[in-house]
Amino acid sequence: MAVGAAACGANVDSRTEITVWSWEPSMKQVIASFEKENPDIHVIWKNTSGYDNLNNAIQDGYGIPDVVQLEYYALRQYAVSGQLVAITGRTEGYGDFYTPGTWASVQLNGRVYGLPMDS
């Protein structure tokens, strides 16, 4: 990905980097599209499944991803324990896009902790 960005004239050293952990097979294409629309952001993707790596990073206190793909049942567990940042203020209007049950699955106590992916 860095070669493609360099060919477009972007300076990789001055871009903001975010780390994404996901097992979604289409993530490579999603990231390429995102970086094209946001040339000042470079995404580092770790193709990972399960929660062992995430739990270890949280326990160690470093290497925690900026964005992580979670299953609905796990999202609440991490939110209750204070290991997720609420994104409530950044999701206005999104609730109308999803069915009520799906939208509720990414919320806890009126705070939004993620966006539904496969609904």
Side-chain angles (χ1 to χ4, degrees):
M1 283 190 270
V3 174
C8 296
N11 181 352
V12 175
D13 295 335
S14 67
R15 295 193 294 173
T16 299
E17 287 188 345
I18 60 171
T19 304
V20 175
W21 288 8
S22 170
W23 59 85
E24 172 59 40
S26 66
M27 191 57 66
K28 191 178 271 187
Q29 292 84 14
V30 170
I31 290 170
S33 177
F34 177 84
E35 287 183 330
K36 186 175 182 179
E37 294 177 22
N38 301 276
D40 56 330
I41 300 175
H42 173 63
V43 179
I44 299 168
W45 175 42
K46 181 176 182 179
N47 187 351
T48 182
S49 63
Y51 298 108
D52 289 341
N53 289 335
L54 180 61
N55 292 335
N56 289 338
I58 290 169
Q59 183 177 348
D60 293 346
Y62 63 89
I64 302 168
D66 300 300
V67 178
V68 63
Q69 180 179 2
L70 297 172
E71 294 165 293
Y72 295 123
Y73 79 88
L75 183 137
R76 289 177 181 238
Q77 171 189 335
Y78 286 100
V80 164
S81 59
Q83 298 166 327
L84 296 179
V85 174
I87 59 169
T88 310
R90 298 179 179 155
T91 60
E92 290 190 31
Y94 281 66
D96 296 336
F97 182 76
Y98 301 101
T99 63
T102 302
W103 186 236
S105 69
V106 296
Q107 297 182 54
L108 181 67
N109 297 328
R111 302 180 82 191
V112 179
Y113 289 93
L115 295 177
M117 187 168 170
D118 46 349
S119 51

